[in-house]
């Protein structure tokens, strides 16, 4: 079955540590996205990528980094510069030209907690 | 700045009734509006799209309306079931990246 796989489901980070969240899709979608979701808040866009080797900052990119070396993969690194990283992280993908009609396909999320 | 408002209070209804959720927006002229369902600890799932020139869209027990004058979309679930209990998010688009609302929790009691 086609879909998006995020791993791990739960992740614990120590202060000052960088961690990387994995996102893989086998839908052949061109565009991929990272969102952060906090309780009582909407999805906030961190980074997005429309094609391989290209990505753009979203609304809250500070303290995060991404890469897009393969069409299927869009990993997110939460760096030590991110002061409040505890949140639920969602990866999504979409058809570039049909994004409106087909919507986003989301992964199951990674819950990151600072310990 | 753009603002999307969804009721932060949970909507509690009895099984079999029609649930109606609201999405209001300001400072925005979206070309389309999407609705998603999100279960606890899971990613949102795309349900429906309605475009700015459409008044109403239906899909099985779901109905969405879009009033660009009132700047409001209503999302209806008829003959609601306990399995419909979830958080429902609206997303407004026009430029490439849509903007999501905070979502409204729906609880359907048996």
């Amino acid at each position: 079955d086609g879909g998006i796989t995020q791993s791990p489901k739960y992740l614990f980070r120590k202060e000052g540590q960088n961690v990387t969240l994995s996102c893989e899709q086998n839908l052949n979608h061109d565009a991929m996205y990272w969102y952060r979701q906090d309780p009582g808040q909407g999805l906030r866009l961190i980074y997005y990528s429309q094609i391989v080797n290209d990505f753009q900052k979203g609304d809250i990119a500070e303290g995060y980094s991404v890469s897009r070396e393969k069409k299927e993969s869009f990993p997110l690194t939460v760096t030590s510069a991110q002061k409040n990283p505890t949140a639920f992280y969602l990866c999504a993908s979409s058809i570039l030209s049909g994004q409106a009609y087909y919507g986003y396909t989301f992964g199951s999320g990674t819950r990151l907690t600072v310990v | 700045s753009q603002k999307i408002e969804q009721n932060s209070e949970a909507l509690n209804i009895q099984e079999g009734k029609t649930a109606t959720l609201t999405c209001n927006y300001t400072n925005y002229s979206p070309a389309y509006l999407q609705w998603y369902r999100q279960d606890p600890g899971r990613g949102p799932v795309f349900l429906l799209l309605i475009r700015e020139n459409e008044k109403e869209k239906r899909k099985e027990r779901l109905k969405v309306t879009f009033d660009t004058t009132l700047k409001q979309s209503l999302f209806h679930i008829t003959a609601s079931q306990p399995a419909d209990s979830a958080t429902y998010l609206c997303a407004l688009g026009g430029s490439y990246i849509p903007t999501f609302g905070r979502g409204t929790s729906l609880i359907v009691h048996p």
Side-chain angles (χ1 to χ4, degrees):
Chain A
D1 286 338
I4 295 185
T5 302
Q6 289 188 243
S7 62
K9 191 169 179 63
Y10 300 96
L11 186 58
F12 298 91
R13 192 195 93 168
K14 295 182 179 179
E15 295 281 353
Q17 197 177 43
N18 291 355
V19 291
T20 297
L21 283 59
S22 171
C23 179
E24 303 276 335
Q25 55 101 357
N26 60 3
L27 299 165
N28 199 33
H29 284 173
D30 296 302
M32 297 187 74
Y33 316 80
W34 274 105
Y35 285 90
R36 170 178 172 146
Q37 187 173 37
D38 295 281
Q41 295 205 32
L43 303 181
R44 292 187 290 169
L45 182 65
I46 305 173
Y47 269 99
Y48 65 98
S49 168
Q50 299 181 36
I51 57 172
V52 174
N53 293 321
D54 186 58
F55 47 83
Q56 306 296 327
K57 293 182 179 180
D59 300 318
I60 56 166
E62 185 175 351
Y64 300 96
S65 66
V66 294
S67 63
R68 186 89 187 273
E69 297 177 1
K70 298 186 301 182
K71 187 176 184 178
E72 302 80 18
S73 179
F74 192 40
L76 173 74
T77 296
V78 184
T79 74
S80 57
Q82 171 50 240
K83 298 307 179 188
N84 185 23
T86 295
F88 188 50
Y89 290 87
L90 287 161
C91 179
S93 70
S94 72
I95 299 170
L96 204 56
S97 60
Q99 183 275 333
Y101 189 80
Y102 295 105
Y104 284 178
T105 301
F106 283 88
S108 293
T110 292
R111 189 166 299 280
L112 174 63
T113 304
V114 174
V115 295
Chain B
S1 62
Q2 300 168 356
K3 190 174 181 182
I4 301 173
E5 292 182 353
Q6 292 188 261
N7 198 335
S8 58
E9 290 187 15
L11 175 64
N12 286 272
I13 65 168
Q14 286 297 126
E15 181 176 9
K17 301 293 186 182
T18 296
T20 299
L21 304 174
T22 303
C23 177
N24 295 305
Y25 59 93
T26 56
N27 298 324
Y28 206 153
S29 295
Y32 64 84
L33 191 148
Q34 299 170 333
W35 282 91
Y36 290 79
R37 169 184 172 141
Q38 185 175 22
D39 291 287
R42 306 296 299 271
V45 174
F46 174 67
L47 297 174
L48 275 174
L49 161 82
I50 187 165
R51 299 185 187 278
E52 61 177 337
N53 60 349
E54 297 175 314
K55 297 287 187 186
E56 182 179 298
K57 183 73 70 74
R58 292 175 184 263
K59 179 182 177 181
E60 299 173 352
R61 294 186 296 113
L62 308 180
K63 185 179 85 171
V64 172
T65 63
F66 194 8
D67 189 325
T68 55
T69 301
L70 292 178
K71 295 187 181 295
Q72 179 182 80
S73 174
L74 298 179
F75 177 81
H76 307 273
I77 304 176
T78 60
S80 60
Q81 305 164 2
D84 295 326
S85 298
T87 296
Y88 292 86
L89 310 173
C90 67
L92 276 63
S95 59
Y96 178 68
I97 306 292
T99 302
F100 285 84
R102 298 181 179 188
T104 298
S105 175
L106 171 66
I107 303 169
V108 181
H109 299 275

